[in-house]
Amino acid sequence: MERKIVILIVLLLFISGCAAIQNLTDMSLFGKKDFVSGKGLTPEFLLKMPPLDKMPEGQEFQVGIKVTNYGLSDAIGEICVFDSLSSNYDGIPSKQNTCVGFNMDAAEKSTVGSKIIPTSERFFFPGERSYYVYKNLISDTKTKIESEIRYDYKTKFNSQICISKKEDDPCNSRVIGMDESVKFAPLDISSIKKDILPTPIGYDDVKLILEIHIRNVGGGKIYNEYDSKKQFFDIDVVLESGSSINCNPKKEGRFFLEDNGEVIVTCDITSSFSGEYIDDPLEIVLSYPYKISQKTGEILINHKED
């Protein structure tokens, strides 16, 4: 009998857990948070700021947004809010009039493992003690409210690259170990592979090729105000030994993501050293402007009859 009671309690806990998960899913359907990023800067509407289902005409409301920085780069940029209704109904003015600048500190890397401790900041529109209001409606109306963040960011990667003049040396393994902390940037270095080219006996120079796999994982896109289809970034590859490095493919002097949000940058490197091998510190820095937005579902504004 006691065993049956225990099983029944476990089943009840399981069912209640599923219900809680369903509730979280329902909240996301209303637009509270239509993505889970955890890469770079991630925005999230604060509870009931704005109301997510409906509000009466004439009700004062604010837009509150929590912005969390999960990456190891400081971020300078601006956050804007706007709605889908005409300014004839008041509400939120045009995007140009509803932006504020920010300067957020980078997340911190824990000394235990590769755990990331993010930083966060809250923004209130039109201000902490001021409000928006919809007026002059002629009938019930629906709107959507959106926030957009544009900021400059960097993906930073550091490692050791082992180079040997002996072709069969395990030091020349193709795969370079990845630090998991690089995964918290919106532009991610997913893998790096190296190929050591055969070296004639007696030569100090060693030639190698690095394949750097880059992809957009931040839930937004690289921001280009002049051409949204061209998602450009800069890449700086440095070996402490001062090796000569030439990276491609370049277009118009810059690097671009492909339409699928990924690209492989190939770097030809000539390294010179007198011994049999070298452990050379490697640094890769990606620099880019980034944009990410969140949008509510449709919010019903009930017309107030005169």
Side-chain angles (χ1 to χ4, degrees):
M1 182 64 180
E2 290 181 356
R3 183 179 178 184
K4 290 182 179 180
I5 292 174
V6 170
I7 294 173
L8 180 59
I9 291 172
V10 171
L11 286 172
L12 288 172
L13 289 173
F14 177 78
I15 292 169
S16 63
C18 290
I21 293 172
Q22 181 62 45
N23 286 337
L24 289 174
T25 304
D26 290 343
M27 287 177 69
S28 68
L29 291 175
F30 282 111
K32 180 177 186 296
K33 191 175 183 183
D34 53 8
F35 62 87
V36 178
S37 174
K39 316 286 185 180
L41 268 58
T42 298
E44 179 180 0
F45 287 121
L46 298 178
L47 184 63
K48 296 184 179 180
M49 301 177 70
L52 293 178
D53 49 2
K54 62 182 177 179
M55 71 177 86
E57 178 182 0
Q59 175 181 310
E60 295 179 334
F61 70 95
Q62 292 177 313
V63 179
I65 302 163
K66 178 182 177 183
V67 180
T68 303
N69 187 0
Y70 290 92
L72 300 178
S73 173
D74 295 338
I76 299 175
E78 64 177 4
I79 178 170
C80 307
V81 298
F82 47 98
D83 63 18
S84 57
L85 278 182
S86 165
S87 58
N88 293 335
Y89 306 117
D90 284 4
I92 303 175
S94 62
K95 187 191 306 186
Q96 291 79 6
N97 299 324
T98 52
C99 299
V100 296
F102 63 81
N103 190 338
M104 289 192 68
D105 292 334
E108 295 182 5
K109 185 178 178 182
S110 172
T111 55
V112 180
S114 58
K115 183 180 179 181
I116 296 296
I117 304 170
T119 60
S120 64
E121 190 171 341
R122 295 177 181 230
F123 301 88
F124 298 91
F125 293 87
E128 288 191 19
R129 297 188 178 182
S130 51
Y131 301 87
Y132 297 119
V133 63
Y134 289 109
K135 301 177 181 178
N136 308 317
L137 272 63
I138 58 176
S139 63
D140 289 353
T141 305
K142 293 180 179 180
T143 188
K144 292 183 179 181
I145 294 175
E146 184 172 356
S147 72
E148 182 178 277
I149 303 175
R150 299 189 294 265
Y151 61 99
D152 294 322
Y153 214 66
K154 290 183 178 180
T155 301
K156 301 175 183 178
F157 172 81
N158 291 277
S159 186
Q160 294 280 129
I161 182 169
C162 186
I163 309 168
S164 174
K165 294 176 182 177
K166 297 180 180 179
E167 292 184 43
D168 57 350
D169 194 324
C171 170
N172 291 335
S173 170
R174 285 202 74 203
V175 179
I176 295 177
M178 301 296 297
D179 182 348
E180 286 298 311
S181 62
V182 78
K183 305 296 183 183
F184 292 92
L187 211 58
D188 170 34
I189 299 174
S190 58
S191 67
I192 303 175
K193 296 178 181 178
K194 75 175 190 287
D195 285 307
I196 310 294
L197 303 182
T199 303
I201 297 176
Y203 277 64
D204 287 340
D205 288 350
V206 172
K207 295 184 180 294
L208 63 146
I209 297 173
L210 282 186
E211 283 188 2
I212 306 169
H213 294 240
I214 299 168
R215 58 181 182 172
N216 178 10
V217 295
K221 63 186 301 183
I222 290 178
Y223 175 64
N224 184 345
E225 62 179 321
Y226 302 107
D227 188 345
S228 61
K229 294 182 179 180
K230 292 184 177 181
Q231 298 193 61
F232 62 84
F233 62 94
D234 295 317
I235 181 169
D236 193 18
V237 181
V238 177
L239 285 167
E240 190 176 272
S241 61
S243 302
S244 172
I245 301 174
N246 180 43
C247 298
N248 286 291
K250 286 183 181 178
K251 299 176 184 177
E252 304 169 10
R254 308 196 78 162
F255 297 87
F256 292 84
L257 294 180
E258 303 292 347
D259 291 340
N260 64 356
E262 301 183 17
V263 70
I264 298 176
V265 173
T266 302
C267 298
D268 298 316
I269 299 174
T270 301
S271 186
S272 181
F273 54 94
S274 56
E276 289 296 325
Y277 76 95
I278 183 174
D279 261 330
D280 206 355
L282 168 69
E283 179 182 70
I284 300 174
V285 178
L286 310 178
S287 304
Y288 46 93
Y290 203 75
K291 178 177 75 173
I292 189 166
S293 61
Q294 62 170 346
K295 184 184 295 185
T296 68
E298 289 189 332
I299 301 170
L300 176 64
I301 307 169
N302 294 121
H303 172 52
K304 183 178 180 180
E305 298 290 346
D306 296 331

